[in-house]
Amino acid sequence: MFFVLQMAISNIRYGEGVTKEVGMDLQNLGAKRVCLMTDRNLSQLPPVDAVLNSLTKSGINFQMYDNVRVEPTDQSFLDAIEFAKKGEFDAYVAVGGGSVIDTCKAANLYASSPTSDFLDYVNAPIGKGKAVTVPLKPLIAVPTTAGTGSETTGVAIFDFKELKVKTGIASRAIKPTLGIIDPLHTLSMPERIVANSGFDVLCHALESYTPLPYKMRSPCPSNPINRPAYQGSNPISDVWALHALRIVAKYLKRAIRNPEDREARANMHLASAFAGIGFGNAGVHLCHGMSYPISGLVKTYKPKDYNVDHSLVPHGLSVVLTSPAVFAFTAQVHPERHLEAAEILGADIRTARIKDAGLILADTLRKFLFDLNVDDGLAAIGYSKADIPALVKGTLPQERVTKLSPRPQTEEDLSALFEASMKLY
């Protein structure tokens, strides 16, 4: 029995003001018809201005699509796909957070595979989870949040409205050709968006450091095209996850509290990409698996600082609210990794007992969230005990990530985790 590890990441370019090169990149690619994708809010802000200036200066012929939905749905993906098919583009530029970059990945995929049914590439068991064998067009991602790391990964997430659950498409084929990480763009993020996208980085780092090790995964696929992007913890992802966690510990509070703290915001922007390289190959587990129904079943919650016309639970918030309960649960396996994470996040572990690792990490996370004014658990965003069966039901199809949990979980375990997450403090 031999075990294989495969690393896949986008090319990354980092530096203040580096967005001005995007027009030249498209020229170098020989692009003749470019699709620029963003959302309504960003289309009025400096990051999109910087890209427009660069495209115009390089004489790039482009069309702009600014109808991306924050926390996309299958319908919003389909609208963008329709635009991409009609435009017959030969390159894409996505300027925004994970919602924009993920929507652009999907548009590129289905426009490149025009006869495919939408569910063909959607993750099983909701879709068919087919391997992508068609060539895609170049996609340049310009992230404006320090969060999803979507510029480095082959994953695109959306809300499947009919089932009220988040799912996605996962294939190395859809990862961007280039990620342009320009820390100037993080300066236009409001406080709560900095916080929530930062919590996504935190959970990406924690979850990709603590999943099932890659050598404990199911047997080697018969063909490398079927090797999943998310392979379990591994020595390469560990480096990126721990490094990202250290940056989060040092800079996230500063980035949230002071919008002028350029050092903190620039470092969080890098941490987002670092964590993306980690989880893009190791995967995530229960915080993410449980977050999808928390977002999908939202009732009336509208977060501060998000200029949207629909209720939504920001992805980073939906992920972090279960983190204390999740890591208290998973720490039975690899407690030393959980203790190491707690120490990086500020816990004093000199007298700690290894068997208390989960509780120590959970308490450290609670204190971290309390200090940052995070809503007090799922109850504070509109859920009650009566919702737990629906939340569990929405977690069950998330096998792609839940089976990466180092500790297997029953439906009863999931119920208990949701219940423990109703109130944090």
Side-chain angles (χ1 to χ4, degrees):
M1 186 68 181
F2 73 106
F3 291 92
V4 175
L5 171 62
Q6 180 168 335
M7 287 301 287
I9 65 164
S10 309
N11 288 316
I12 297 295
R13 188 183 298 154
Y14 172 78
E16 273 199 17
V18 72
T19 306
K20 67 176 182 288
E21 296 182 355
V22 70
M24 289 182 278
D25 287 318
L26 291 161
Q27 238 176 358
N28 296 340
L29 287 166
K32 300 280 181 278
R33 290 175 67 82
V34 174
C35 173
L36 169 61
M37 238 176 231
T38 189
D39 67 40
R40 290 276 158 79
N41 289 329
L42 275 161
S43 64
Q44 314 298 317
L45 292 171
V48 170
D49 268 354
V51 171
L52 290 173
N53 289 339
S54 178
L55 297 187
T56 309
K57 196 173 168 189
S58 292
I60 299 294
N61 171 29
F62 69 91
Q63 280 179 271
M64 179 148 113
Y65 181 84
D66 67 357
N67 208 16
V68 170
R69 190 179 195 266
V70 178
E71 301 297 337
T73 62
D74 46 336
Q75 191 50 57
S76 80
F77 266 20
L78 287 165
D79 292 344
I81 290 164
E82 186 58 26
F83 182 85
K85 282 181 174 172
K86 280 193 180 135
E88 297 181 340
F89 301 110
D90 57 6
Y92 294 83
V93 181
V95 188
S99 297
V100 172
I101 299 172
D102 286 7
T103 301
C104 198
K105 289 174 185 174
N108 186 7
L109 171 62
Y110 289 96
S112 304
S113 185
T115 58
S116 292
D117 182 60
F118 182 64
L119 286 175
D120 281 354
Y121 296 122
V122 172
N123 298 326
I126 289 167
K128 294 181 186 157
K130 282 188 177 173
V132 178
T133 53
V134 294
L136 270 63
K137 302 289 188 265
L139 191 166
I140 299 177
V142 186
T144 58
T145 62
T148 63
S150 182
E151 68 279 5
T152 69
T153 72
V155 177
I157 300 291
F158 65 92
D159 265 309
F160 196 52
K161 276 310 212 196
E162 190 188 335
L163 297 178
K164 290 197 168 171
V165 72
K166 264 191 154 69
T167 182
I169 300 159
S171 165
R172 292 182 186 86
I174 67 171
K175 74 179 192 311
T177 320
L178 172 65
I180 290 188
I181 301 171
D182 183 341
L184 292 179
H185 298 334
T186 62
L187 301 176
S188 41
M189 271 195 295
E191 189 244 24
R192 273 300 101 181
I193 295 182
V194 178
N196 292 327
S197 55
F199 298 146
D200 201 19
V201 181
L202 170 67
C203 288
H204 283 157
L206 287 170
E207 287 173 77
S208 63
Y209 190 55
T210 55
L212 200 64
Y214 82 102
K215 288 187 174 179
M216 292 173 69
R217 291 296 309 277
S218 53
C220 190
S222 55
N223 184 315
I225 199 168
N226 297 320
R227 179 166 288 116
Y230 289 0
Q231 300 163 86
S233 70
N234 63 75
I236 306 176
S237 289
D238 288 351
V239 175
W240 295 98
L242 285 179
H243 191 53
L245 194 59
R246 289 193 177 97
I247 298 176
V248 168
K250 183 172 178 182
Y251 289 111
L252 179 57
K253 287 182 183 175
R254 277 175 51 182
I256 292 168
R257 288 174 179 156
N258 178 8
E260 302 301 304
D261 189 336
R262 291 170 84 129
E263 182 194 359
R265 289 208 166 180
N267 273 285
M268 281 305 301
H269 212 186
L270 264 185
S272 170
F274 291 168
I277 296 165
F279 92 85
N281 293 283
V284 285
H285 56 86
L286 290 179
C287 299
H288 271 74
M290 294 168 66
S291 80
Y292 296 141
I294 293 170
S295 297
L297 294 164
V298 62
K299 298 170 185 179
T300 55
Y301 184 76
K302 280 202 179 156
K304 184 174 157 284
D305 288 347
Y306 287 72
N307 181 13
V308 287
D309 58 4
H310 52 277
S311 52
L312 71 94
V313 182
H315 172 64
L317 181 63
S318 69
V319 168
V320 86
L321 289 176
T322 62
S323 64
V326 163
F327 292 110
F329 173 79
T330 57
Q332 283 186 7
V333 190
H334 307 304
E336 66 293 337
R337 286 189 170 226
H338 290 69
L339 205 54
E340 187 183 1
E343 183 178 32
I344 290 170
L345 290 171
D348 180 354
I349 64 164
R350 283 173 302 187
T351 57
R353 293 179 307 188
I354 196 81
K355 68 177 173 53
D356 295 333
L359 296 174
I360 293 167
L361 179 52
D363 283 345
T364 307
L365 286 165
R366 272 191 208 97
K367 181 180 181 312
F368 195 80
L369 299 180
F370 182 77
D371 286 351
L372 292 170
N373 307 318
V374 174
D375 302 80
D376 186 7
L378 298 178
I381 61 169
Y383 289 106
S384 70
K385 268 191 183 169
D387 297 307
I388 291 176
L391 289 165
V392 171
K393 187 173 169 237
T395 306
L396 295 176
Q398 310 299 335
E399 296 161 8
R400 189 175 63 88
V401 292
T402 54
K403 69 181 180 193
L404 280 168
S405 165
R407 183 178 168 190
Q409 64 288 316
T410 62
E411 290 187 37
E412 289 70 32
D413 290 330
L414 290 171
S415 295
L417 290 171
F418 280 115
E419 192 165 338
S421 305
M422 285 292 163
K423 195 165 165 45
L424 293 183
Y425 315 125

